[in-house]
Every structure is written in C-alpha cells, then in structure tokens.
Amino acid sequence: MMWISRSRLRFDLSSSIPKYHPFLSNPSSLSSFGSHTQTPLLEDHYVHQAVFQFESMIRTRPVPPMYEFGKILGSLTKMKRYPTIIFLTKQMEIKGIHHNLVTLNILINCFCHLSQMTFAFSIFGKIFKLGYHPTVVTLTTLMRGLCTNGEVRKALNFHDKMVAQGFRFNEVGYGTLIQGLCHIGETNAAIQLLRIIEVRSIKPNVVMYNTIIHHLFIDGRANEAFDLYSEMVAKGISPTIVTCTTLVYGFCILHHLQEAIDFINEMISNNIRPNIYTYSILIDALCKEGRIRQAKNVLAMMVRAYVKPNIFTLTSLMDGYYLVNEVKNAKHVFNLITKLGVTPTVHSYSIMINGLCKSKKVDEAMNLFQDMHKRNMVPDTVTYSSLIDGLCKSGRIAYVWDLIYEMHDRNQQPDVITYTCLIDALCKNYHLDKAFELLKTMMEKGIQPDMYTWNILIDGMCKGGRLEKAQEIFQDLLIKGYPLDVRSYSIMIHGFCKKGLVDEALSLWSKMENNGCLPDAIAFEIIITALFEKDETDKADTFLCEMISRGLLKS
C-alpha cells in the first residue's frame, strides 16, 4: 500500500511567504495568533479582530507605515484567509493607500492559492508598473501557483523567460519545479533539472532528492531510487526522516522486509528516530505477508521508542491477524483502539466486519455495524459490500435488500463488488432470472462487470441447467474480446462435461490453448474425469501424461 502521501514529500514553500509578527497588542495572544492548532471559533475571533484593526488603520490619518498592514495580512495568510486578505487590500486601495512589494507578494500568494492565476500575474505586472523589482519570493510563489494548479509546462516556460531576463532562482524555486515535474509523471525531466542546477551553482538539497526518490519508487524504478539515495549521501547531504521513511517504503514494495527492518535499526544507530509513518509502513507490509510475529516485534520496538501507534498501525495489525485467521487477536486489537485513545475509522470497522464475515461470525459483524450507527459513522461502500457478502454466504439474503436500500439513502452507491456478491447469492439459490436482471441493472448504472462477475454468472447458469444461456454469454464475451481466463474456460468445459458433451468440451479446450490461455490442474482434472466416465481411457491417459509433463500433478 502506498502510504507516504505525495504531500508529505512536497517542499513546504511557506518559507517563501514573508513572516510577520502578530499585530495584536495582547501579549498573551502573540504566540498563538495564526496557529493552525486553534479551534475554528478562536481562529474566527482573531480574524474578526484582524479585520477590525485593519479597517481602523485605513481610516487613520496619517496612514500607519505599510509594514503595519503587512503584519496583519501576513497573520491572515498563516490562517489561509485568502479571500479576506483580497477584500482588505481592495479597501486599502479605495482609500488611496499604495501597496509595497511585500503586500503585492502576499496578494500574488492569495490568488495562487485560490487558483486564480490570471489575477496573480496581473499583480506581477503591477509590480513592474510600480517600479518594484520582483524578488525570488515573487517568482517562486508564481511558479508554485502554476505547478499546484497543474500548469507545470507554463511554470517551466516562466522560469526560462525569467532566467533569460537576468533573474535568478534559488533552491526553493527549483525544488518547486522538481516537485511539479514529478507530480505529472515527468520524473526523468526532474532528474535532468537536478543535473542542470548543479551546473548553475545551485546546490541540490535533501528535499529535491526526497521528491525524486519517492516518485522513482512510485514509477517502479526502485534500483534508480536507491542509487540516487547513495549519490545524495556521497555528496554529504544528510538524509532526513522523510528520506529514510521513503527508503523503508521502497524496501517494502520490493518485499525486502528484513532489509527494511535492518535499515530502521541503522537509522536508530545514526540518531535518526523513526516516526509513526516509518514504523507503520513496515508493520503494514509485514502484516500483508502474514508475518505477524515480526510485525508485533516492530510494534514493540515502536512502543519502546515512545512512538504511539495510530489508527493505521492498529488497523494493519488487525487485518494481518484476520489474514492468518487469528480472529481473537484481531478483536483484541480492535478493542485496544479506543483504550489507547485512538478514534476508530470507517476503514477499521470495515476491516473488522469483513474479517468477521469471512470467519462466519456474521452476527458479530452485524453488531459492529449497528455500533457504527450509534457512533453516527456513515459506513462506506466497502463496509456495506463486506456485510452483504457475509449475509449472502450465510444464506440470509432477505436481510440484504434492506442494506441496499440503506446504501441508497446514505448516498453510498453499490459498486462491482456489491453487485457481484448479490449475483453470486442469487445464482447459488438458483434465482437465475433475478441474477441476470441484476446484471442488466448494474450495467445500466454504468458499472461494468469484471471477469469474476461473469464467471459467477456463467457458473450459475451451468449449474442451474441453463447451459445454452451460459454458452451464449461465454461466446459473446469471446467475440467482444474480454480477457477470458482459465477459470472462465474451466467453468464452461465443466458445464459441457456435466451434460455429457465431451466433444464440445474438447473443442473448447483446443480453443483455450489456441488463445494462449494455459489450462491449470483443475481444468485437467475436469476433462480427465469426464473422459474416464465415458470410457475414453486412451484420451484420458494422454491428458494425464500431458498434465504430468507440465508439472501440474500433485505428488
């Protein structure tokens, strides 16, 4: 699972926006003004105070120094109140108060964040008109705005144009461009830019390397990512926790889990403390491979380092326990979530409900589902599909339709998995017409069945005595170029054999091999059994020898 979000590796360009001291006169509020930790109510209070103070200042004569206006606008910038800033600057202009470069930079930043790049560049033009000289902050802010709004090519053109006019960018600007290129999948261009800036005497920093390394892993180019890491270290650039976490992720996607564990130990020995993300990535990878004991060891290491597990860590462990059928331990972890003061998510409930259903503990799954309602949590499509599948497989299909109606009421639309579960249940109960009607409904809603859905339907038709219908569906899929797999062919071959139509089964067998779909052990067993039942021993022996030669016969 890709757990390091792209935003974690994105360089924080907040440093490119001028920092101002809060304007409030109350000393106790200075340290907290503009803090993202404030409650919305408290933050709104500060905004109202800021607006009141600003409007008082624009009416004051003589007009206060521009840096006083900059203080307020800077504080509002920290709170991301971009429309408010634009409104206040317009009021300032109406009163005939002229901008300085700082306030113009703030305005550019606001328009960039609001995806209004035309206005941002209009302010840029105003900077020249007023005789100011754009700073690296101005240029980087505009370039970041273009990249954030998906206009990376324009950002590159803007960079080239500014350089041609004698302007220079620093590592923050180039980090922005590298991030933008990586974000649109142009990792090679990002590497090329990394090489170019070295020639221009701009020293690449760890953020640039982190970004490219991360995206190389996303592109499946792990070896290049590790080489770039080695290059970075060789140049004396110290890895950060983000770098190391990215490397751990790389080891995990390559399934080199022991190397990931060793790397974490190496981090600790080099005084780089793994964080919650580092540990959780590894725990998740170990759990997905059923290596629960090692996952628990990493969890213990994490706790000893005073790193508190989060919901992702615990959900991964819970999922891992279900994978190895340790239901009791999975339930213990789920109960531990609230005890540790961690808020359970819809995903964690979905994991539990799915695990309990697969363990045939549908009543317990239903109880958990009700618990979600009590907590005012809205189950998602995955939660509903898991419970619907459990109810269908336990023969309680009557309860399912109420869940389908509830899904619609809660605006949670059934997906291909939901419909496939229902079609499977209808087929197993020989409600074949209803199953086929449900398939039509599903397709009318724009949800395309996958091969798993088609296989269930074909199998249901074969077992329900509708061989001709099954054959019609199968042929239609074949003509339309669907990726029929060995399971699809085996179902149809088995359907022919059950009806005593062995010649038709053999004909389909030939077609299967001609289409490049190799039969597996189950397919061989179906055809061999049918041939023996028809006393066609010689043909059966031929298939048996072929099965052995392909190494498909279990010893």
Side-chain angles (χ1 to χ4, degrees):
M1 177 178 179
M2 173 61 230
W3 205 72
I4 305 174
S5 69
R6 295 186 180 189
S7 61
R8 272 197 58 75
L9 289 179
R10 184 177 297 152
F11 185 61
D12 182 7
L13 282 177
S14 60
S15 59
S16 69
I17 302 168
K19 299 288 193 293
Y20 301 102
H21 294 293
F23 65 91
L24 297 178
S25 56
N26 181 1
S28 65
S29 66
L30 291 180
S31 61
S32 61
F33 186 76
S35 168
H36 295 299
T37 60
Q38 298 299 328
T39 63
L41 190 62
L42 189 57
E43 192 174 274
D44 285 343
H45 169 70
Y46 287 136
V47 171
H48 288 312
Q49 279 190 296
V51 172
F52 177 78
Q53 180 85 5
F54 195 95
E55 290 178 339
S56 297
M57 284 166 60
I58 62 177
R59 292 192 298 268
T60 302
R61 292 296 179 270
V63 177
M66 276 306 296
Y67 69 82
E68 293 291 346
F69 292 99
K71 286 180 184 179
I72 298 175
L73 297 177
S75 297
L76 289 169
T77 299
K78 291 179 184 178
M79 290 186 284
K80 303 180 181 180
R81 299 301 179 108
Y82 309 121
T84 304
I85 294 168
I86 293 166
F87 170 77
L88 291 177
T89 55
K90 286 193 178 298
Q91 298 304 307
M92 192 174 80
E93 290 167 10
I94 290 167
K95 293 290 183 180
I97 301 169
H98 299 293
H99 288 283
N100 64 8
L101 185 56
V102 170
T103 56
L104 290 169
N105 280 343
I106 290 173
L107 261 181
I108 287 174
N109 180 56
C110 291
F111 284 123
C112 287
H113 277 290
L114 294 171
S115 302
Q116 296 178 1
M117 295 308 300
T118 304
F119 290 115
F121 275 96
S122 174
I123 301 297
F124 183 57
K126 193 172 184 177
I127 287 174
F128 286 103
K129 189 176 177 181
L130 293 171
Y132 292 118
H133 189 79
T135 65
V136 71
V137 171
T138 320
L139 303 176
T140 300
T141 304
L142 281 165
M143 208 156 58
R144 180 195 58 194
L146 289 168
C147 289
T148 304
N149 288 286
E151 298 183 292
V152 180
R153 303 290 177 198
K154 286 186 180 179
L156 286 166
N157 291 337
F158 176 71
H159 162 269
D160 293 345
K161 185 179 177 182
M162 290 297 103
V163 169
Q165 291 180 23
F167 291 96
R168 291 290 175 263
F169 291 83
N170 61 12
E171 66 277 3
V172 178
Y174 284 110
T176 302
L177 273 181
I178 285 170
Q179 171 62 33
L181 287 166
C182 288
H183 190 71
I184 62 169
E186 295 286 350
T187 314
N188 286 339
I191 295 169
Q192 190 178 357
L193 184 58
L194 187 74
R195 304 304 176 212
I196 290 169
I197 64 175
E198 288 181 288
V199 177
R200 293 179 181 172
S201 301
I202 301 289
K203 188 179 179 182
N205 59 27
V206 68
V207 178
M208 298 177 194
Y209 276 100
N210 285 349
T211 303
I212 298 173
I213 289 167
H214 173 64
H215 284 273
L216 283 170
F217 280 126
I218 290 175
D219 296 343
R221 298 160 66 181
N223 290 336
E224 291 176 71
F226 284 117
D227 288 345
L228 200 61
Y229 170 75
S230 299
E231 175 192 306
M232 182 188 89
V233 174
K235 287 181 177 178
I237 301 171
S238 300
T240 64
I241 183 60
V242 175
T243 325
C244 295
T245 300
T246 305
L247 266 289
V248 169
Y249 164 72
F251 283 123
C252 289
I253 61 172
L254 291 172
H255 305 287
H256 296 167
L257 301 187
Q258 188 54 53
E259 289 181 59
I261 294 169
D262 294 342
F263 187 75
I264 284 181
N265 286 324
E266 189 180 327
M267 284 172 64
I268 295 167
S269 66
N270 288 323
N271 293 319
I272 300 174
R273 291 186 62 190
N275 60 21
I276 182 64
Y277 306 109
T278 325
Y279 286 116
S280 295
I281 288 165
L282 182 54
I283 289 169
D284 183 60
L286 289 165
C287 288
K288 277 182 168 56
E289 293 199 4
R291 295 162 68 170
I292 305 300
R293 181 170 292 183
Q294 282 181 290
K296 284 168 66 180
N297 289 342
V298 175
L299 182 66
M301 185 194 306
M302 177 179 167
V303 172
R304 283 197 299 272
Y306 299 102
V307 179
K308 184 182 176 182
N310 64 9
I311 189 63
F312 179 81
T313 324
L314 298 170
T315 301
S316 297
L317 195 60
M318 203 164 61
D319 204 13
Y321 276 127
Y322 275 121
L323 188 67
V324 296
N325 204 29
E326 292 185 21
V327 181
K328 188 177 178 181
N329 285 330
K331 287 157 73 173
H332 173 72
V333 173
F334 184 78
N335 293 330
L336 193 64
I337 289 174
T338 48
K339 288 179 182 176
L340 289 172
V342 179
T343 306
T345 62
V346 171
H347 179 62
S348 53
Y349 270 99
S350 296
I351 293 287
M352 276 298 292
I353 287 168
N354 185 52
L356 288 168
C357 286
K358 281 184 165 45
S359 303
K360 300 180 180 179
K361 297 181 184 294
V362 181
D363 288 329
E364 287 186 51
M366 287 286 284
N367 289 337
L368 268 185
F369 186 75
Q370 295 303 323
D371 188 51
M372 289 182 76
H373 286 305
K374 289 174 187 173
R375 289 175 177 263
N376 293 319
M377 296 176 74
V378 179
D380 61 15
T381 301
V382 175
T383 325
Y384 280 108
S385 297
S386 299
L387 192 56
I388 286 167
D389 188 46
L391 288 166
C392 287
K393 283 184 167 58
S394 63
R396 296 156 72 174
I397 197 167
Y399 293 93
V400 165
W401 304 111
D402 288 337
L403 285 177
I404 295 292
Y405 296 137
E406 186 182 311
M407 282 184 79
H408 284 297
D409 290 342
R410 288 176 169 259
N411 201 29
Q412 297 295 322
Q413 298 305 316
D415 60 9
V416 63
I417 297 170
T418 322
Y419 279 107
T420 301
C421 294
L422 288 167
I423 289 168
D424 185 41
L426 290 168
C427 287
K428 282 184 168 63
N429 287 282
Y430 302 105
H431 299 312
L432 303 180
D433 290 331
K434 286 184 180 179
F436 202 73
E437 283 303 312
L438 191 60
L439 181 84
K440 285 182 180 176
T441 302
M442 169 184 172
M443 294 177 76
E444 284 167 5
K445 288 180 179 289
I447 301 168
Q448 290 304 311
D450 56 20
M451 277 316 303
Y452 187 70
T453 320
W454 287 117
N455 286 344
I456 284 170
L457 193 66
I458 294 166
D459 190 43
M461 294 294 168
C462 288
K463 288 176 179 174
R466 305 263 190 98
L467 184 63
E468 287 184 7
K469 186 65 178 175
Q471 193 176 4
E472 181 189 320
I473 296 168
F474 186 88
Q475 283 299 125
D476 188 52
L477 293 173
L478 202 60
I479 291 164
K480 288 178 178 175
Y482 273 77
L484 297 171
D485 54 17
V486 66
R487 168 78 178 146
S488 316
Y489 282 101
S490 297
I491 288 167
M492 206 64 236
I493 288 167
H494 189 252
F496 283 131
C497 290
K498 280 291 183 184
K499 283 284 187 178
L501 304 171
V502 180
D503 288 340
E504 283 82 348
L506 289 169
S507 174
L508 189 57
W509 182 282
S510 299
K511 194 176 287 186
M512 172 173 65
E513 294 207 298
N514 289 338
N515 288 338
C517 184
L518 295 176
D520 59 9
I522 294 169
F524 271 105
E525 286 168 11
I526 290 167
I527 203 78
I528 290 166
T529 302
L531 288 167
F532 274 127
E533 285 176 355
K534 284 202 75 176
D535 290 328
E536 295 191 32
T537 312
D538 290 343
K539 285 185 181 178
D541 285 342
T542 302
F543 274 96
L544 188 60
C545 290
E546 180 65 23
M547 187 180 177
I548 292 166
S549 70
R550 295 189 189 190
L552 296 173
L553 189 65
K554 294 177 183 178
S555 57

